[in-house]
Amino acid sequence: LRDKYIDLIANAGDEASLEDLRVQAVGKKGEISLKMRELGKMTPEERQIMGPKLNALKDEINTALSAKKEALADAALNERLKSEWLDVTLPARDARVGTIHPVSQVIEEVTTIFADMGFSVAEGPQIDTDFYNFDALNIPGHHPARAEMDTFYMHRAEGDNRPPHVLRTHTSPVQIRHMEKHGAPCRIIAPGRVYRADYDQTHTPMFHQVEGLAIDKDISMANLKWVLEEFFAAFFEVKGIKTRFRASHFPFTEPSAEVDIQCSWEDGQLKIGEGDGWLEVLGSGMVHPKVLQAAGVNPDEWQGFAFGMGIDRIAMLKYGIPDLRAFFDSDLRWLRHYGFAS
Ligand code: PHE
């Protein structure tokens, strides 16, 4: 019996079969346990000989079992250490870090340049009332500019009598909100999202503008021209970049001008700040007296300029990005290519 179990234990392959052996030998109904129960039927003399023998056997088997158990556990650990071996001297894998979106980058650049000229940043809601988006900007209900802007109107349930809301079609409502709250004088830019129902290679239903507004006692178009030329020179990194002011019309400025920047277009290469071509980049003008009035600023006392510029557009020009729609596709390959290190 002893040799049988010592042999079986030595050859047990894993902890489960070792446990089976334990039950078989010294478990409640195990072979050795049954033999010990038979001691009761023996004569005292027989019992005196067999008793210690069986006890010793039981001890020996138990010792062999636990020694084997430990050996098996050691072997298993060694096996694991071998398979989970790690070379800490290998170079680390590159961490994938996100990039700054060109729009965020350009807003940052624009904000910094205007901050150097004393402009601070103002914000307004993207969902605004048609009062702020239109009426206060001298665009009354019947005005064709409303239709031209391809406005998104917010749905109102029947009986909901709150004023009509729109997705702002430009950043100009921020002019009104800012002057209402802070009055004159002021110098602000207001970058942000705007919305128009339009979609092609150069139009997306959501895009970005930056509004500019400077109100003081004697601000003129000459100040506007200086500020813009200063801005374009810094933004496109071209000293002495030329601008062209074309007479235009906006209901909220009088006089109004569309502003072009100098460019050349040779061998399919667009270069900003040289040559005799022109690219339109913004709308501007002297703030209309009615607009000042609507915002609670006295037009007999104050005057100033405003402009609205397409952020995505100047981002495309500066960084040579061909298709506006790709800006908002969230394609990781595009973002890695055109994005900026953070
Ligand atoms: N709000 C005009 C637009 O979206 C731009 C503009 C702003 C023009 C301020 C004049 C003054 O086209």
Side-chain angles (χ1 to χ4, degrees):
L1 199 61
R2 177 193 170 274
D3 291 348
K4 170 181 152 192
Y5 278 112
I6 292 299
D7 199 43
L8 280 172
I9 289 167
N11 289 319
D14 52 40
E15 288 194 48
S17 41
L18 195 63
E19 174 62 12
D20 285 346
L21 279 173
R22 191 190 64 77
V23 172
Q24 208 181 313
V26 295
K28 258 191 189 159
K29 290 177 184 162
E31 228 176 329
I32 294 168
S33 311
L34 291 177
K35 281 254 177 320
M36 290 180 100
R37 230 171 279 168
E38 284 168 16
L39 288 173
K41 295 180 210 146
M42 292 180 187
T43 62
E45 294 77 26
E46 280 175 325
R47 203 182 303 145
Q48 234 166 37
I49 298 167
M50 284 308 285
K53 268 192 172 178
L54 281 172
N55 270 326
L57 177 59
K58 192 179 171 186
D59 286 347
E60 191 182 355
I61 296 289
N62 273 327
T63 308
L65 279 166
S66 50
K68 181 66 180 180
K69 193 170 175 179
E70 217 168 288
L72 281 173
D74 274 358
L77 181 62
N78 279 330
E79 205 52 44
R80 238 183 88 190
L81 287 175
K82 228 187 276 172
S83 68
E84 291 178 8
W85 178 81
L86 187 70
D87 183 354
V88 293
T89 67
L90 281 175
R93 214 175 294 146
D94 267 358
R96 285 264 179 178
V97 182
T99 59
I100 307 280
H101 194 283
V103 170
S104 304
Q105 169 76 17
V106 165
I107 289 178
E108 187 72 34
E109 294 173 10
V110 168
T111 305
T112 307
I113 296 168
F114 278 105
D116 285 344
M117 293 191 272
F119 287 75
S120 53
V121 173
E123 280 187 318
Q126 292 175 36
I127 302 173
D128 213 339
T129 61
D130 63 358
F131 171 78
Y132 285 105
N133 196 79
F134 293 125
D135 300 81
L137 290 162
N138 195 29
I139 314 174
H142 58 267
H143 200 282
R146 290 209 183 194
E148 274 162 32
M149 291 255 204
D150 303 307
T151 312
F152 287 110
Y153 285 89
M154 303 297 290
H155 176 74
R156 280 268 182 260
E158 218 175 312
D160 184 340
N161 294 322
R162 285 176 297 173
H165 279 67
V166 299
L167 295 182
R168 68 178 180 192
T169 57
H170 50 181
T171 42
S172 299
V174 185
Q175 290 184 34
I176 308 294
R177 287 183 171 277
H178 183 82
M179 286 189 285
E180 246 181 15
K181 211 168 163 192
H182 304 283
C186 72
R187 278 187 213 184
I188 52 136
I189 57 163
R193 295 182 164 185
V194 298
Y195 302 83
R196 291 179 201 178
D198 207 350
Y199 189 73
D200 61 38
Q201 199 181 332
T202 53
H203 296 89
T204 49
M206 185 281 295
F207 59 106
H208 299 80
Q209 285 189 335
V210 58
E211 194 79 6
L213 177 71
I215 304 290
D216 212 319
K217 298 278 180 183
D218 52 9
I219 287 196
S220 71
M221 289 286 269
N223 299 126
L224 171 65
K225 189 164 161 61
W226 184 85
V227 164
L228 289 178
E229 285 182 348
E230 201 66 11
F231 167 73
F232 289 125
F235 182 76
F236 290 109
E237 294 163 355
V238 183
K239 266 193 193 138
I241 185 173
K242 286 188 186 131
T243 59
R244 182 173 75 173
F245 281 55
R246 277 179 296 107
S248 181
H249 176 265
F250 300 101
F252 32 92
T253 45
E254 182 56 38
S256 303
E258 279 174 310
V259 178
D260 306 336
I261 51 170
Q262 183 189 12
C263 74
S264 71
W265 185 256
E266 269 159 40
D267 311 320
Q269 262 294 111
L270 176 68
K271 293 218 176 86
I272 307 287
E274 58 170 60
D276 46 17
W278 297 103
L279 265 172
E280 185 192 324
V281 282
L282 61 84
S284 66
M286 296 301 290
V287 178
H288 198 291
K290 282 191 176 174
V291 172
L292 295 172
Q293 214 152 27
V297 168
N298 182 358
D300 296 327
E301 202 181 333
W302 304 98
Q303 62 183 39
F305 65 72
F307 62 83
M309 180 162 49
I311 289 179
D312 320 88
R313 185 163 168 71
I314 61 170
M316 291 168 80
L317 294 175
K318 180 167 178 179
Y319 295 111
I321 309 174
D323 191 332
L324 175 64
R325 291 170 296 194
F327 272 67
F328 311 118
D329 283 346
S330 303
D331 183 328
L332 283 180
R333 291 165 304 175
W334 188 93
L335 290 168
R336 277 186 203 119
H337 183 77
Y338 288 111
F340 294 82
S342 48

